Amino acid sequence: MAKQITMDLAFNKNEDALKLACSQVRQRLEDIYEGGGKNAIKKQHERNKLTARERIDYLSDEGKRFIEIGAFAGYEMYADQGGCPAGGTVSGIGYVSGRQCIIVANDQTVKAGAWFPITGKKNLRMQEIAMENKLPIIYLVDSAGVYLPMQEEIFADKEHFGRVFRNNAKMSAMGITQIAAVMGACVAGGAYLPIMSDETLMVEGNGSIFLAGPYLVKAAIGEEVDNETLGGAVTHTEISGIADYKFKTEQECLDYIKKIISKLGKADNAGFDRIATIAPKKEAAAIYGILSEGNTKPYDMVQLIECITDEDSFDQFKEDYGKTIVCGYARIEGWAVGIVANQRLIVKNKKGEMQLGGVIYNDSADKAARFMMNCNQKKIPLVFLQDVTGFMVGSRSEHSGIIKDGAKMVNAVANSVVPKITIVVGNSYGAGNYAMCGKAYDPRFIYAWPTAKIAVMGGEQAAKTLLQIQVASLKAKGKTILPKDEEEILSEITKRYQQQTTPYYAAARLWVDAIIDPAETRMVIAEGIAAANHNKHIDEFKTGVLQV
């Protein structure tokens, strides 16, 4: 009886901690949702303009899911420039006229919608999602172009501003529908985006497209001209022929986009298997009590899986082998999936020896690689649930060929042709991040829980390693380091390192697409597979050379 009470108390404590972490995410999002602030929003409304979020709300189908991507982009970055909430762009995957679409809206309240370096990265990520999943993309344009004080970080490189227009051309060749609605300024290089889209809509009085604005025109050639005459909706629909439609209000413009999308032809899909949805065995709220505060104690990943998969659909693969990774087939909202998840329990191997969960051993890597190959053979999307501290180290593991088995697993991840969706539940350290399909391994979507930590190694180990390096450097310069000095240095290093491993730090730099409430895990995976199913083309699966 006492044991049951202890378990209940532990569950409640875990639940409180994770719910508090989710509440902190929501509070920070509320600030981000204000964009450039209440005064900037007021000015937007005074000009008869909706905000970026209001435009998306109006355009999206009522009652349908909208998954925002990159809300934390730029978070706590560019403080010396006044900040850049959400990277100055609101974007995500939603439904318009019943069709799943990518929507990208410049936020004019943030530095006039100017492009910071993270803005470019975010816009390219949205185009990447559109291209990978063959989804229509809608641009709601209201931008002053490149943020000039940081032009050297956004203009000339491969993954900079110009890549957006290159992608416009590539997507057009791929047959991906692109619709651009010009609701504000569209200046300089940015003027190419709507014109390289399939159809261009403009709002009279506010929408404008030109390579150079009135001030630059006067400076360059001495001509005096106003915005509307130079590049307004009337000019581009009646004189230049650049735009296709003009509208009196933004609402009329957005309504017409809905009409365009409603007429798109239905393309063949990838054919990923789906049956009727069955609710999970455990309710989503049960997730909150599984992880301990700070994720410091073992837990059973299978319990978590039962909270996100359809009831009785999870069938483990090699259940009694390689126990620090759980693999198995399941269904999520009816979609067939293959799950690869780190197991944090303390487990025993065949020899009865204890193994630490969260670490990838030889047998676990071997099992996971084989399972991923099976999923590629069967055309089943892969879901990765990350809580990994890395591969096992030490002479015994090295002699057993841990690098070889790890390489086999990494090879299978890298060469997988089925869609991959990654959820960072807890730790995501070192090569474990790679093997479990971190950002570098092209997951279609990658989300983090508030409990996520992404780094090359755990905070304590990293801090002590960095301390040794820093102390050695100081001593080499002839400085005397006392024990209290080491403590101060260690404290400073630990604080900085811990800040850099948070999900907020990762989301700000788009290492993950979003920080999600754990209860939303099932939903975002299902929507991700629905998106991936639009792209019928799947390459032939090849793994290349493997050390066996």
Side-chain angles (χ1 to χ4, degrees), residues 290 295 297-303 316 323-326 342-348 354-359 361 387:
I290 293 175
N295 195 17
K297 297 178 182 178
Y299 65 92
D300 189 356
M301 178 60 82
V302 175
Q303 290 184 358
Q316 282 206 54
K323 290 189 175 183
T324 63
I325 289 185
V326 173
N342 303 112
Q343 177 60 286
R344 285 290 303 277
L345 283 176
I346 304 299
V347 297
K348 290 184 178 181
M354 304 301 289
Q355 294 182 332
L356 177 65
V359 178
Y361 286 79
D387 194 352

mmCIF file of all heavy atoms in Angstrom, residues 290 295 297-303 316 323-326 342-348 354-359 361 387:
data_model
loop_
_atom_site.group_PDB
_atom_site.id
_atom_site.type_symbol
_atom_site.label_atom_id
_atom_site.label_comp_id
_atom_site.label_asym_id
_atom_site.label_seq_id
_atom_site.Cartn_x
_atom_site.Cartn_y
_atom_site.Cartn_z
ATOM 1 N N ILE A 290 5.069 10.830 -16.314
ATOM 2 C CA ILE A 290 6.048 9.788 -16.624
ATOM 3 C C ILE A 290 7.484 10.257 -16.381
ATOM 4 O O ILE A 290 8.276 9.570 -15.747
ATOM 5 C CB ILE A 290 5.865 9.302 -18.076
ATOM 6 C CG1 ILE A 290 4.522 8.572 -18.216
ATOM 7 C CG2 ILE A 290 7.009 8.390 -18.491
ATOM 8 C CD1 ILE A 290 4.186 8.154 -19.628
ATOM 9 N N ASN A 295 14.223 15.239 -15.453
ATOM 10 C CA ASN A 295 14.486 13.979 -16.152
ATOM 11 C C ASN A 295 15.707 13.262 -15.563
ATOM 12 O O ASN A 295 16.603 12.808 -16.274
ATOM 13 C CB ASN A 295 14.691 14.228 -17.659
ATOM 14 C CG ASN A 295 14.602 12.950 -18.478
ATOM 15 O OD1 ASN A 295 14.090 11.943 -18.015
ATOM 16 N ND2 ASN A 295 15.116 13.007 -19.701
ATOM 17 N N LYS A 297 15.476 10.602 -13.302
ATOM 18 C CA LYS A 297 15.208 9.232 -12.878
ATOM 19 C C LYS A 297 14.751 8.377 -14.060
ATOM 20 O O LYS A 297 14.163 8.883 -15.010
ATOM 21 C CB LYS A 297 14.135 9.224 -11.785
ATOM 22 C CG LYS A 297 14.560 9.961 -10.516
ATOM 23 C CD LYS A 297 13.440 9.963 -9.488
ATOM 24 C CE LYS A 297 13.849 10.745 -8.228
ATOM 25 N NZ LYS A 297 12.753 10.799 -7.236
ATOM 26 N N PRO A 298 15.016 7.071 -13.996
ATOM 27 C CA PRO A 298 14.581 6.178 -15.077
ATOM 28 C C PRO A 298 13.056 6.151 -15.212
ATOM 29 O O PRO A 298 12.326 6.400 -14.251
ATOM 30 C CB PRO A 298 15.114 4.811 -14.641
ATOM 31 C CG PRO A 298 16.181 5.099 -13.647
ATOM 32 C CD PRO A 298 15.768 6.350 -12.952
ATOM 33 N N TYR A 299 12.578 5.857 -16.400
ATOM 34 C CA TYR A 299 11.154 5.677 -16.656
ATOM 35 C C TYR A 299 11.011 4.705 -17.813
ATOM 36 O O TYR A 299 11.969 4.435 -18.542
ATOM 37 C CB TYR A 299 10.461 7.009 -16.976
ATOM 38 C CG TYR A 299 10.943 7.646 -18.270
ATOM 39 C CD1 TYR A 299 10.304 7.391 -19.482
ATOM 40 C CD2 TYR A 299 12.050 8.490 -18.282
ATOM 41 C CE1 TYR A 299 10.748 7.951 -20.661
ATOM 42 C CE2 TYR A 299 12.512 9.054 -19.456
ATOM 43 C CZ TYR A 299 11.858 8.783 -20.648
ATOM 44 O OH TYR A 299 12.316 9.335 -21.826
ATOM 45 N N ASP A 300 9.822 4.187 -17.975
ATOM 46 C CA ASP A 300 9.570 3.200 -19.029
ATOM 47 C C ASP A 300 9.038 3.898 -20.276
ATOM 48 O O ASP A 300 7.912 4.400 -20.287
ATOM 49 C CB ASP A 300 8.573 2.156 -18.533
ATOM 50 C CG ASP A 300 8.430 0.987 -19.502
ATOM 51 O OD1 ASP A 300 9.039 1.034 -20.584
ATOM 52 O OD2 ASP A 300 7.707 0.033 -19.164
ATOM 53 N N MET A 301 9.841 3.945 -21.331
ATOM 54 C CA MET A 301 9.439 4.594 -22.581
ATOM 55 C C MET A 301 8.191 3.944 -23.173
ATOM 56 O O MET A 301 7.402 4.607 -23.847
ATOM 57 C CB MET A 301 10.591 4.547 -23.582
ATOM 58 C CG MET A 301 10.286 5.155 -24.943
ATOM 59 S SD MET A 301 9.830 6.920 -24.908
ATOM 60 C CE MET A 301 11.455 7.683 -24.834
ATOM 61 N N VAL A 302 7.991 2.661 -22.915
ATOM 62 C CA VAL A 302 6.809 1.981 -23.456
ATOM 63 C C VAL A 302 5.528 2.623 -22.917
ATOM 64 O O VAL A 302 4.528 2.749 -23.639
ATOM 65 C CB VAL A 302 6.848 0.473 -23.125
ATOM 66 C CG1 VAL A 302 5.554 -0.215 -23.572
ATOM 67 C CG2 VAL A 302 8.041 -0.181 -23.806
ATOM 68 N N GLN A 303 5.542 3.065 -21.665
ATOM 69 C CA GLN A 303 4.376 3.749 -21.105
ATOM 70 C C GLN A 303 4.088 5.033 -21.865
ATOM 71 O O GLN A 303 2.928 5.364 -22.144
ATOM 72 C CB GLN A 303 4.606 4.063 -19.623
ATOM 73 C CG GLN A 303 4.620 2.856 -18.719
ATOM 74 C CD GLN A 303 4.763 3.247 -17.260
ATOM 75 O OE1 GLN A 303 4.891 4.421 -16.920
ATOM 76 N NE2 GLN A 303 4.741 2.254 -16.380
ATOM 77 N N GLN A 316 6.199 -4.676 -30.385
ATOM 78 C CA GLN A 316 7.643 -4.499 -30.277
ATOM 79 C C GLN A 316 8.406 -5.435 -31.214
ATOM 80 O O GLN A 316 8.017 -6.578 -31.426
ATOM 81 C CB GLN A 316 8.105 -4.714 -28.840
ATOM 82 C CG GLN A 316 7.822 -3.530 -27.932
ATOM 83 C CD GLN A 316 8.784 -3.471 -26.761
ATOM 84 O OE1 GLN A 316 9.996 -3.484 -26.950
ATOM 85 N NE2 GLN A 316 8.238 -3.394 -25.562
ATOM 86 N N LYS A 323 17.965 -3.810 -25.358
ATOM 87 C CA LYS A 323 16.853 -3.212 -24.604
ATOM 88 C C LYS A 323 16.968 -1.712 -24.350
ATOM 89 O O LYS A 323 16.007 -1.106 -23.881
ATOM 90 C CB LYS A 323 16.687 -3.943 -23.278
ATOM 91 C CG LYS A 323 16.143 -5.359 -23.430
ATOM 92 C CD LYS A 323 15.802 -5.957 -22.082
ATOM 93 C CE LYS A 323 15.145 -7.319 -22.242
ATOM 94 N NZ LYS A 323 14.749 -7.885 -20.936
ATOM 95 N N THR A 324 18.103 -1.088 -24.640
ATOM 96 C CA THR A 324 18.172 0.364 -24.410
ATOM 97 C C THR A 324 17.595 1.165 -25.579
ATOM 98 O O THR A 324 17.585 2.394 -25.534
ATOM 99 C CB THR A 324 19.616 0.825 -24.118
ATOM 100 O OG1 THR A 324 20.442 0.583 -25.250
ATOM 101 C CG2 THR A 324 20.172 0.123 -22.895
ATOM 102 N N ILE A 325 17.145 0.473 -26.609
ATOM 103 C CA ILE A 325 16.316 1.106 -27.648
ATOM 104 C C ILE A 325 15.074 0.253 -27.840
ATOM 105 O O ILE A 325 15.162 -0.966 -27.975
ATOM 106 C CB ILE A 325 17.076 1.268 -28.989
ATOM 107 C CG1 ILE A 325 18.145 2.354 -28.870
ATOM 108 C CG2 ILE A 325 16.106 1.636 -30.116
ATOM 109 C CD1 ILE A 325 18.872 2.669 -30.169
ATOM 110 N N VAL A 326 13.929 0.903 -27.834
ATOM 111 C CA VAL A 326 12.651 0.232 -28.092
ATOM 112 C C VAL A 326 12.278 0.481 -29.547
ATOM 113 O O VAL A 326 12.267 1.632 -30.003
ATOM 114 C CB VAL A 326 11.547 0.772 -27.169
ATOM 115 C CG1 VAL A 326 10.187 0.192 -27.555
ATOM 116 C CG2 VAL A 326 11.865 0.447 -25.716
ATOM 117 N N ASN A 342 14.481 5.698 -27.342
ATOM 118 C CA ASN A 342 15.458 5.366 -26.314
ATOM 119 C C ASN A 342 14.747 4.918 -25.047
ATOM 120 O O ASN A 342 13.739 5.499 -24.654
ATOM 121 C CB ASN A 342 16.345 6.567 -25.996
ATOM 122 C CG ASN A 342 17.056 7.105 -27.218
ATOM 123 O OD1 ASN A 342 16.767 8.204 -27.676
ATOM 124 N ND2 ASN A 342 17.971 6.325 -27.765
ATOM 125 N N GLN A 343 15.280 3.872 -24.422
ATOM 126 C CA GLN A 343 14.689 3.343 -23.197
ATOM 127 C C GLN A 343 15.528 3.789 -21.999
ATOM 128 O O GLN A 343 16.719 3.503 -21.930
ATOM 129 C CB GLN A 343 14.616 1.817 -23.261
ATOM 130 C CG GLN A 343 14.079 1.140 -22.026
ATOM 131 C CD GLN A 343 12.660 1.568 -21.668
ATOM 132 O OE1 GLN A 343 12.451 2.684 -21.181
ATOM 133 N NE2 GLN A 343 11.697 0.694 -21.912
ATOM 134 N N ARG A 344 14.911 4.465 -21.043
ATOM 135 C CA ARG A 344 15.646 5.017 -19.904
ATOM 136 C C ARG A 344 15.616 4.113 -18.664
ATOM 137 O O ARG A 344 16.100 4.485 -17.608
ATOM 138 C CB ARG A 344 15.084 6.392 -19.542
ATOM 139 C CG ARG A 344 15.494 7.511 -20.502
ATOM 140 C CD ARG A 344 16.966 7.847 -20.382
ATOM 141 N NE ARG A 344 17.331 8.224 -19.040
ATOM 142 C CZ ARG A 344 17.174 9.455 -18.539
ATOM 143 N NH1 ARG A 344 16.664 10.413 -19.293
ATOM 144 N NH2 ARG A 344 17.531 9.721 -17.305
ATOM 145 N N LEU A 345 15.016 2.951 -18.751
ATOM 146 C CA LEU A 345 15.013 2.030 -17.617
ATOM 147 C C LEU A 345 16.395 1.424 -17.406
ATOM 148 O O LEU A 345 17.202 1.352 -18.335
ATOM 149 C CB LEU A 345 14.017 0.885 -17.859
ATOM 150 C CG LEU A 345 12.526 1.192 -17.660
ATOM 151 C CD1 LEU A 345 11.711 -0.032 -18.044
ATOM 152 C CD2 LEU A 345 12.233 1.564 -16.213
ATOM 153 N N ILE A 346 16.677 1.003 -16.187
ATOM 154 C CA ILE A 346 17.860 0.181 -15.938
ATOM 155 C C ILE A 346 17.488 -1.240 -16.352
ATOM 156 O O ILE A 346 16.529 -1.812 -15.838
ATOM 157 C CB ILE A 346 18.259 0.206 -14.451
ATOM 158 C CG1 ILE A 346 18.487 1.651 -13.990
ATOM 159 C CG2 ILE A 346 19.500 -0.640 -14.235
ATOM 160 C CD1 ILE A 346 19.602 2.371 -14.721
ATOM 161 N N VAL A 347 18.213 -1.790 -17.311
ATOM 162 C CA VAL A 347 17.841 -3.091 -17.869
ATOM 163 C C VAL A 347 18.993 -4.079 -17.721
ATOM 164 O O VAL A 347 20.141 -3.701 -17.469
ATOM 165 C CB VAL A 347 17.450 -2.960 -19.356
ATOM 166 C CG1 VAL A 347 16.231 -2.079 -19.509
ATOM 167 C CG2 VAL A 347 18.603 -2.395 -20.182
ATOM 168 N N LYS A 348 18.692 -5.366 -17.875
ATOM 169 C CA LYS A 348 19.699 -6.420 -17.809
ATOM 170 C C LYS A 348 19.918 -7.017 -19.199
ATOM 171 O O LYS A 348 18.981 -7.153 -19.973
ATOM 172 C CB LYS A 348 19.258 -7.521 -16.847
ATOM 173 C CG LYS A 348 19.261 -7.115 -15.378
ATOM 174 C CD LYS A 348 18.899 -8.299 -14.496
ATOM 175 C CE LYS A 348 18.938 -7.912 -13.024
ATOM 176 N NZ LYS A 348 18.601 -9.065 -12.148
ATOM 177 N N MET A 354 23.761 -5.325 -15.511
ATOM 178 C CA MET A 354 22.926 -4.131 -15.604
ATOM 179 C C MET A 354 23.443 -3.190 -16.690
ATOM 180 O O MET A 354 24.659 -3.035 -16.862
ATOM 181 C CB MET A 354 22.906 -3.397 -14.257
ATOM 182 C CG MET A 354 22.440 -4.251 -13.083
ATOM 183 S SD MET A 354 20.778 -4.911 -13.288
ATOM 184 C CE MET A 354 19.805 -3.424 -13.091
ATOM 185 N N GLN A 355 22.512 -2.600 -17.406
ATOM 186 C CA GLN A 355 22.863 -1.605 -18.418
ATOM 187 C C GLN A 355 22.119 -0.315 -18.110
ATOM 188 O O GLN A 355 20.986 -0.325 -17.644
ATOM 189 C CB GLN A 355 22.449 -2.082 -19.823
ATOM 190 C CG GLN A 355 23.225 -3.295 -20.310
ATOM 191 C CD GLN A 355 22.812 -3.676 -21.717
ATOM 192 O OE1 GLN A 355 21.691 -3.434 -22.137
ATOM 193 N NE2 GLN A 355 23.728 -4.279 -22.449
ATOM 194 N N LEU A 356 22.765 0.788 -18.378
ATOM 195 C CA LEU A 356 22.162 2.092 -18.119
ATOM 196 C C LEU A 356 21.281 2.500 -19.287
ATOM 197 O O LEU A 356 21.734 2.555 -20.429
ATOM 198 C CB LEU A 356 23.253 3.142 -17.898
ATOM 199 C CG LEU A 356 22.796 4.577 -17.683
ATOM 200 C CD1 LEU A 356 22.009 4.688 -16.383
ATOM 201 C CD2 LEU A 356 23.986 5.518 -17.659
ATOM 202 N N GLY A 357 20.006 2.782 -19.024
ATOM 203 C CA GLY A 357 19.103 3.232 -20.075
ATOM 204 C C GLY A 357 19.490 4.608 -20.594
ATOM 205 O O GLY A 357 20.129 5.393 -19.905
ATOM 206 N N GLY A 358 19.096 4.905 -21.837
ATOM 207 C CA GLY A 358 19.418 6.190 -22.444
ATOM 208 C C GLY A 358 20.728 6.167 -23.196
ATOM 209 O O GLY A 358 21.054 7.099 -23.924
ATOM 210 N N VAL A 359 21.518 5.102 -23.013
ATOM 211 C CA VAL A 359 22.782 4.933 -23.730
ATOM 212 C C VAL A 359 22.574 3.887 -24.822
ATOM 213 O O VAL A 359 21.904 2.881 -24.613
ATOM 214 C CB VAL A 359 23.904 4.472 -22.770
ATOM 215 C CG1 VAL A 359 25.206 4.249 -23.530
ATOM 216 C CG2 VAL A 359 24.110 5.502 -21.669
ATOM 217 N N TYR A 361 23.886 0.904 -26.855
ATOM 218 C CA TYR A 361 24.881 -0.164 -26.832
ATOM 219 C C TYR A 361 24.949 -0.826 -28.218
ATOM 220 O O TYR A 361 24.136 -0.552 -29.106
ATOM 221 C CB TYR A 361 24.506 -1.216 -25.783
ATOM 222 C CG TYR A 361 24.733 -0.765 -24.355
ATOM 223 C CD1 TYR A 361 23.823 0.077 -23.725
ATOM 224 C CD2 TYR A 361 25.847 -1.198 -23.640
ATOM 225 C CE1 TYR A 361 24.014 0.486 -22.412
ATOM 226 C CE2 TYR A 361 26.050 -0.802 -22.320
ATOM 227 C CZ TYR A 361 25.131 0.040 -21.710
ATOM 228 O OH TYR A 361 25.323 0.445 -20.419
ATOM 229 N N ASP A 387 15.662 10.382 -26.183
ATOM 230 C CA ASP A 387 16.101 10.668 -24.815
ATOM 231 C C ASP A 387 17.399 9.902 -24.630
ATOM 232 O O ASP A 387 17.450 8.871 -23.975
ATOM 233 C CB ASP A 387 15.051 10.250 -23.784
ATOM 234 C CG ASP A 387 15.333 10.840 -22.411
ATOM 235 O OD1 ASP A 387 16.412 11.441 -22.245
ATOM 236 O OD2 ASP A 387 14.492 10.690 -21.504
#
